[in-house]
Amino acid sequence: MIIRRRWTVALCGLLATLVAGLAPAGAAADEPGSDEREGPPPKVELVLDVSGSMRARDVGGRTRIAVAKQAFNDVIDAMPEEVHLGIRTLGADYAGEDKEKGCRDSEQLFPVGQVRRTEAKTAVAALAPTGFTPIGYALKGAVRDLGDGEGSRRIVLITDGEDSCGLPDPCDVARELAARGTHLTVDTLGLTGDAEVRQQLSCIAEATGGTYTAVQDQDQFSDRLNQLVRRPLQTPLEDPEPVAGAERCVQAPELAPGVYSDREEFGEHRWYRVPLDAGRELRASVSVGVDRAVDRDYGVLLRAVGQDGTELVRGSEAGGGRTDVLSTGARYPWRGEQERAVCLEVSNSFSAPDGIKRTPGLPLELTVDEVAAPDSAGDMAYFGLARGWVPLLVLTLAGLLAGLLWGLLGRLREPTRNSAGEAR
């Protein structure tokens, strides 16, 4: 039995070694995104509703404020050092009936900077549901807290109700931020499924290119909050350049390497054109943000097409259920001797339930880059379908070794069967 085990382990190890050795080394090292992030640190401010309604006990049998505090603690524990975090409250201090005072009840609980975990968690633990819900006023305060300058800035608003003050209107504040071109995003988390709350929080998120999420339980709350806090680390430092895709390739805007933003209607096809130098490889990726409720099944397609209409390469991604962003990418090397125009088509299969606004379109971010093309067709095995003799050789050897291993195990089992027969 021990001898058979040793033979099995040896053959499995040989198979793994051969397969690993045939795969060209160092592929991952050439992929983009491996460099360390440079530039100013991203800033995130969490704005927490501590109004009286947060006492409600309807999230898995726990109060809304207790669930929020637990999510905050989870996020603070896992906070990346690269992100500067701040915390602001609304409705946390004034318990009286004077609406004028209550609608100015918003204070910065923790300044934006590197997280001092013990201090931040202690400050959050002391909060108790108290007053009004001045969302618009708190958003203006959060904008001041984050300041100006370069780098990513993000507000995450957590609330269980719509603004109870009226002025300034939270949607107007968000639209003003977008109109000023501040590149500041507001994401919203709703602790109730109320239709009016959802409408207001969706409006705030849509205006700034953020996302709205209706929280169902503690785990979802913690996971979603953690995603939003970490998202700036995956966001390009370069501010996307606005561009308007065309209905056809011949009308499409010409794009140099860079990051571009656009909006695409439900089910729309938009075209862009990229001049590709000889001996260069085009790398393109697209992300479509879902800033409102959509139907269950959806997909995104990115195609590179020649000017004669021939498809060169495509990338696609599909999903179902709730999502915040859907991304895909494609790579196309050009080994010709002259520049070639490549058309990029971006399309989606999103749809929305009745009552959901179709305009403006879904936010779209397109990244275009060029690198040196691979030297040979064998290098093409890293993307698209595997090609060349290397994959064929790997599969052939894997099949041969698997057959030998199976035959050896069969032979080793025969003495056991014979011994069992003689024993009978």
Side-chain angles (χ1 to χ4, degrees):
M1 182 66 72
I2 293 175
I3 294 175
R4 280 183 299 181
R5 286 177 180 169
R6 288 176 177 171
W7 269 102
T8 303
V9 171
L11 283 173
C12 289
L14 176 61
L15 177 60
T17 302
L18 283 173
V19 172
L22 286 169
D30 294 332
E31 294 298 321
S34 60
D35 295 335
E36 292 185 4
R37 184 183 180 92
E38 297 180 355
K43 299 177 182 179
V44 179
E45 176 134 291
L46 307 179
V47 179
L48 176 62
D49 179 358
V50 197
S51 61
S53 58
M54 290 288 284
R55 299 190 195 96
R57 190 181 295 273
D58 56 2
V59 185
R62 303 176 66 197
T63 63
R64 298 169 184 174
I65 191 65
V67 171
K69 287 181 178 182
Q70 180 62 55
F72 268 54
N73 286 341
D74 293 343
V75 168
I76 291 168
D77 283 337
M79 176 62 57
E81 295 294 334
E82 302 90 335
V83 176
H84 283 191
L85 182 75
I87 302 173
R88 171 172 281 271
T89 61
L90 62 95
D93 299 316
Y94 180 70
E97 300 296 326
D98 188 331
K99 188 172 182 179
E100 184 177 352
K101 290 183 179 179
C103 289
R104 294 198 303 270
D105 182 10
S106 176
E107 298 290 339
Q108 188 176 38
L109 186 69
F110 191 82
V112 179
Q114 285 191 320
V115 180
R116 300 187 297 277
R117 288 178 171 79
T118 301
E119 293 180 32
K121 291 167 72 172
T122 301
V124 170
L127 296 174
T130 303
F132 288 77
T133 314
I135 293 177
Y137 184 83
L139 287 178
K140 285 198 164 187
V143 174
R144 292 193 301 271
D145 297 341
L146 291 169
D148 298 321
E150 300 178 357
S152 170
R153 296 182 300 152
R154 198 172 208 99
I155 296 172
V156 182
L157 171 66
I158 302 105
T159 180
D160 69 338
E162 57 183 330
D163 187 285
S164 61
C165 294
L167 292 175
D169 181 272
C171 282
D172 289 342
V173 173
R175 293 188 188 104
E176 180 185 346
L177 289 174
R180 282 162 41 192
T182 57
H183 304 296
L184 188 151
T185 303
V186 183
D187 296 294
T188 57
L189 294 175
L191 288 166
T192 65
D194 181 82
E196 292 183 356
V197 174
R198 182 175 65 249
Q199 182 178 1
Q200 184 173 84
L201 296 184
S202 296
C203 174
I204 295 169
E206 287 177 23
T208 61
T211 59
Y212 161 70
T213 305
V215 174
Q216 305 295 325
D217 54 47
Q218 178 70 72
D219 289 341
Q220 183 200 16
F221 192 171
S222 295
D223 290 345
R224 183 64 185 135
L225 190 57
N226 194 39
Q227 289 172 16
L228 293 174
V229 168
R230 289 176 174 272
R231 178 166 289 178
L233 294 177
Q234 285 80 48
T235 302
L237 288 174
E238 180 181 356
D239 291 329
E241 179 182 341
V243 66
E247 293 183 359
R248 295 187 299 167
C249 179
V250 294
Q251 304 165 332
E254 186 173 286
L255 306 183
V259 183
Y260 300 88
S261 64
D262 199 355
R263 280 191 177 264
E264 187 172 67
E265 304 294 336
F266 288 96
E268 187 180 11
H269 297 247
R270 295 183 79 80
W271 289 87
Y272 312 86
R273 192 167 69 254
V274 179
L276 186 60
D277 291 333
R280 304 291 287 175
E281 178 181 286
L282 170 65
R283 297 186 178 186
S285 63
V286 65
S287 297
V288 177
V290 186
D291 57 2
R292 67 206 75 175
V294 297
D295 290 330
R296 181 174 181 81
D297 299 310
Y298 43 77
V300 169
L301 173 66
L302 172 66
R303 292 200 310 149
V305 179
Q307 287 194 303
D308 60 356
T310 303
E311 181 177 293
L312 306 174
V313 69
R314 65 166 53 196
S316 62
E317 187 62 52
R322 175 64 186 167
T323 189
D324 299 304
V325 66
L326 197 63
S327 304
T328 189
R331 297 165 59 181
Y332 172 68
W334 172 234
R335 298 188 184 85
E337 297 180 355
Q338 296 180 344
E339 180 184 283
R340 178 176 193 177
V342 178
C343 301
L344 293 178
E345 179 193 20
V346 177
S347 58
N348 73 82
S349 59
F350 283 98
S351 59
D354 294 338
I356 299 298
K357 292 173 58 179
R358 265 58 172 185
T359 56
L362 299 172
L364 175 157
E365 188 167 282
L366 178 65
T367 302
V368 176
D369 196 12
E370 283 187 25
V371 297
D375 293 332
S376 65
D379 296 332
M380 297 277 288
Y382 286 128
F383 60 95
L385 295 175
R387 303 170 201 172
W389 62 270
V390 173
L392 179 61
L393 179 59
V394 170
L395 292 174
T396 302
L397 287 175
L400 176 61
L401 290 173
L404 290 173
L405 177 61
W406 183 258
L408 179 61
L409 291 176
R411 288 175 175 242
L412 292 174
R413 283 197 299 267
E414 283 184 7
T416 304
R417 293 196 193 101
N418 293 338
S419 298
E422 293 173 1
R424 293 191 193 98

